[in-house]
Amino acid sequence: MSETHQRNFIEKKINLKSNRVFLLKFIEFKNGCFVSISEDLCKIGGIHVSVASNNRTQSARVIPNIRDPIFTKTLSEKISLMINGIVITNFNNKNPMSLSEMQEIMNEVLKLLEAKTSD
């Protein structure tokens, strides 16, 4: 996996075991972050916004992801709770994902966040 770091910006290529390739872009702000995950090409897809406060999240689907809406919501809310802030999540995929593919992507995002919080 290749990675680009610039202070508050990380770009990473995620190669799944199923040979699908996703591009992860992470932009960090003082009160939250923007996470974009897209398959093969950098595209806008389903957008979900989550805000964490008092160990709870409030979420809004801005643009629905027709293939994997639950994954997009879960990812957004999980990140929001981890950073205790606002998260805007963009997710674009060509075909529906399997549970193992979702887990691989989630693990890569969580690793990235854990590395950011340990800095």
Side-chain angles (χ1 to χ4, degrees):
M1 284 172 252
S2 61
E3 237 175 271
T4 302
H5 288 272
Q6 294 176 344
R7 292 197 123 191
N8 298 340
F9 176 74
I10 297 173
E11 186 174 26
K12 185 175 188 174
K13 187 181 282 189
I14 302 171
N15 297 304
L16 302 182
K17 292 175 186 170
S18 62
N19 293 324
R20 291 173 79 175
V21 177
F22 286 85
L23 306 172
L24 168 64
K25 294 186 181 208
F26 175 87
I27 303 171
E28 183 179 33
F29 299 90
K30 283 195 179 269
N31 62 339
C33 65
F34 176 75
V35 179
S36 175
I37 302 170
S38 55
E39 189 170 8
D40 292 332
L41 300 170
C42 192
K43 290 185 174 182
I44 294 175
I47 296 178
H48 208 92
V49 178
S50 296
V51 179
S53 62
N54 300 327
N55 291 329
R56 302 187 84 181
T57 59
Q58 292 185 353
S59 295
R61 181 177 48 201
V62 179
I63 299 173
N65 180 299
I66 58 173
R67 292 176 192 91
D68 295 298
I70 302 296
F71 177 69
T72 308
K73 180 180 180 187
T74 303
L75 182 66
S76 184
E77 290 179 350
K78 176 80 173 171
I79 296 168
S80 179
L81 286 170
M82 285 183 76
I83 68 166
N84 196 33
I86 302 166
V87 177
I88 302 169
T89 306
N90 169 58
F91 185 70
N92 177 277
N93 56 328
K94 293 179 178 178
N95 299 305
M97 296 195 321
S98 69
L99 182 58
S100 63
E101 290 172 329
M102 289 180 201
Q103 289 172 333
E104 282 185 75
I105 291 173
M106 182 71 83
N107 287 339
E108 288 298 322
V109 172
L110 297 181
K111 275 193 240 177
L112 182 141
L113 288 171
E114 288 169 2
K116 288 294 287 172
T117 56
S118 66
D119 285 348

